[in-house]
Amino acid sequence: MPVLRVDDVDEALALCPEAGGAPVLGAADRPEWGPGLRTAHLRDPEGRLIELRSYS
C-alpha cells in the first residue's frame, strides 16, 4: 500500500474526491502506531488502497 506523507491529513483527504479518490477510513489520530501520527485511507480511481499520513 502506498503511503503519502502530507502536511494535513484532513485537508488532503478533502481534496481526494475531486481527483476520483474514494475515502475508506476517515482521518483519525493513531497514537498506538506512533506519536503524533494521523492517518486516513482511500482508494484511487483504479481501486488501489492509499494511506495519507501526517505527524504533528
Side-chain angles (χ1 to χ4, degrees):
M1 163 179 47
V3 176
L4 302 175
R5 188 161 181 184
V6 297
D7 291 330
D8 185 316
V9 168
D10 298 273
E11 186 177 297
L13 186 61
L15 295 173
C16 289
E18 295 175 26
V24 174
L25 290 174
D29 294 327
R30 305 281 185 202
E32 67 278 12
W33 294 358
L37 179 62
R38 187 165 180 81
T39 67
H41 295 84
L42 63 127
R43 295 218 178 259
D44 72 8
E46 296 175 4
R48 290 178 291 241
L49 186 61
I50 297 172
E51 179 177 287
L52 302 176
R53 180 182 289 185
S54 68
Y55 294 90
S56 57

